[in-house]
Amino acid sequence: MNKKLMSIGLSIMILASSITPCSAISRNTCIKNLKLGKSYKYDIDGDKDKDNIKAYISNNKLILNVNGCKKTLVPKCEEWDEKEQATIINYDKDMESIRLYDFNKKDKSYTIVFDDTGGNGSRILKFKNNKCMLDKVIKGEYIDSYDNNTGTVKFGDDCGYGKFSKAFSKACSSYFSVIRKIKIQDYKVTEETSASNIDTYRYYKANNTMTAYKSATSNTKAFTIKKNDKVKVYNLYMSGNNKRIKVKNSSGKYGYIKYTNKQLFKYFYVKCKYGTYHYKYDTDCMCSKLPTSLRAKSYEITGAKIVNDGYGNKDIIGYLRNNSNSTWDYVEVMITWYDKYGNVINTTYDNILNLKPNQRWKFTINTYGDCSKFKITKVTVDNW
């Protein structure tokens, strides 16, 4: 059995249930999947009266009607693209995308969630009688799980680390596993985001002199990071307007830097058992300012292309060569492929064990759907 590394992407997902007392409930556990054109009666505001709920399509719009209060979920379910000469489907009628959840057992109100099949994220709605009291969009992110004992809803999506992105140059991106959470209590939503650095062997170079504090909420100084000092980044935290980045300095001390939408780090150094390098083929990590000594090709990818598999589908194939002097215990190539409109279809990977020095490996990614183009999004190499 292949040994596998776990790469967790920045993401946002909502999970829900009304009766299960466990701490992590799947997004598929809900009170009801709301079918188009069907009327439902539930007490969603806790006043002991049944409320009328109906989702339907009218004049090419997807409408949610609760007690006469109408909200447009999709303004155009279908539209003609003149350039592509094709009909664009903005809402898939066959998807179970509108659900009723009980995210918090401590309040008496229920939540309606619309997972936008156009890829825009999740929309959270709460009603009281015939008024919409909460209408919040979690952009680009979808329900993952929730805890109805606390009202905490977790999201997940491979979209990046969002509100922390300006802290890093492009050479530092895509290496954080982000967890975005919201807490729903009655008709109020509070947000909390945390993220861990999935590649902690990177050293980030400070762009300015900064103060590191003792905790994610403390204003007590722990130490000073001078310009051009190298640190390791471990976690990102956000609660309201308070954003902190957990780092470790060269003396092994931990601290938390305040983030105020400014670039804090320039680029990174990568050190591991088989040398010092950066991910040459991860375009998010390219940086012309990297010293020449860090641009050494520890691997080389050639011949990556889309081919027919002979059964009506397409494969993405290519070759990766180990240019180092060491045998790599595990190598993984991760690829995202897109349809002709540029929409992401899926991200998956191929891997190999024990790739020897100068050995060339052919990787194959099986695709489905309309695979019109692709991008090599990550290459992982590990020496256990």
Side-chain angles (χ1 to χ4, degrees), residues 78-89:
E78 297 181 4
E79 58 183 318
W80 178 256
D81 189 312
E82 191 66 32
K83 182 179 179 180
E84 297 291 340
Q85 290 292 295
T87 299
I88 306 301
I89 307 298

Side-chain angles (χ1 to χ4, degrees), residues 158-273:
D158 298 333
C159 63
Y161 50 97
K163 295 182 180 180
F164 289 89
S165 59
K166 290 183 180 179
F168 305 90
S169 71
K170 287 186 177 180
C172 303
S173 62
S174 301
Y175 294 102
F176 294 93
S177 166
V178 175
I179 296 173
R180 182 176 177 183
K181 296 178 182 179
I182 64 171
K183 185 174 182 179
I184 299 178
Q185 178 69 45
D186 297 317
Y187 301 102
K188 295 181 180 180
V189 171
T190 54
E191 283 196 58
E192 180 177 324
T193 299
S194 65
S196 59
N197 188 349
I198 61 176
D199 292 317
T200 52
Y201 48 78
R202 283 178 170 75
Y203 292 85
Y204 293 83
K205 194 170 185 179
N207 194 43
N208 301 292
T209 297
M210 298 174 283
T211 299
Y213 298 89
K214 289 190 174 182
S215 74
T217 57
S218 171
N219 289 317
T220 303
K221 179 179 174 180
F223 53 85
T224 298
I225 301 170
K226 295 181 180 180
K227 184 176 180 178
N228 294 324
D229 280 356
K230 289 187 290 184
V231 299
K232 285 189 176 183
V233 175
Y234 281 84
N235 295 90
L236 313 177
Y237 298 94
M238 183 178 76
S239 181
N241 293 323
N242 178 37
K243 302 173 188 175
R244 303 283 180 111
I245 299 175
K246 184 180 180 181
V247 300
K248 183 170 76 170
N249 66 10
S250 57
S251 300
K253 293 182 179 180
Y254 290 92
Y256 297 79
I257 302 169
K258 292 182 180 180
Y259 170 53
T260 55
N261 296 324
K262 294 181 180 179
Q263 184 176 332
L264 303 180
F265 304 100
K266 294 180 180 178
Y267 50 79
F268 60 80
Y269 294 86
V270 179
K271 293 185 178 180
C272 46
K273 294 180 181 179

Side-chain angles (χ1 to χ4, degrees), residues 46-81:
D47 62 1
K48 298 183 180 180
D49 291 330
K50 293 291 182 69
D51 298 288
N52 298 304
I53 309 168
K54 187 176 181 179
Y56 58 92
I57 294 176
S58 176
N59 296 323
N60 201 29
K61 298 179 180 179
L62 176 61
I63 307 293
L64 175 66
N65 188 331
V66 178
N67 297 328
C69 179
K70 298 179 182 179
K71 304 294 289 187
T72 299
L73 302 182
V74 179
K76 291 184 179 180
C77 293
E78 297 181 4
E79 58 183 318
W80 178 256
D81 189 312

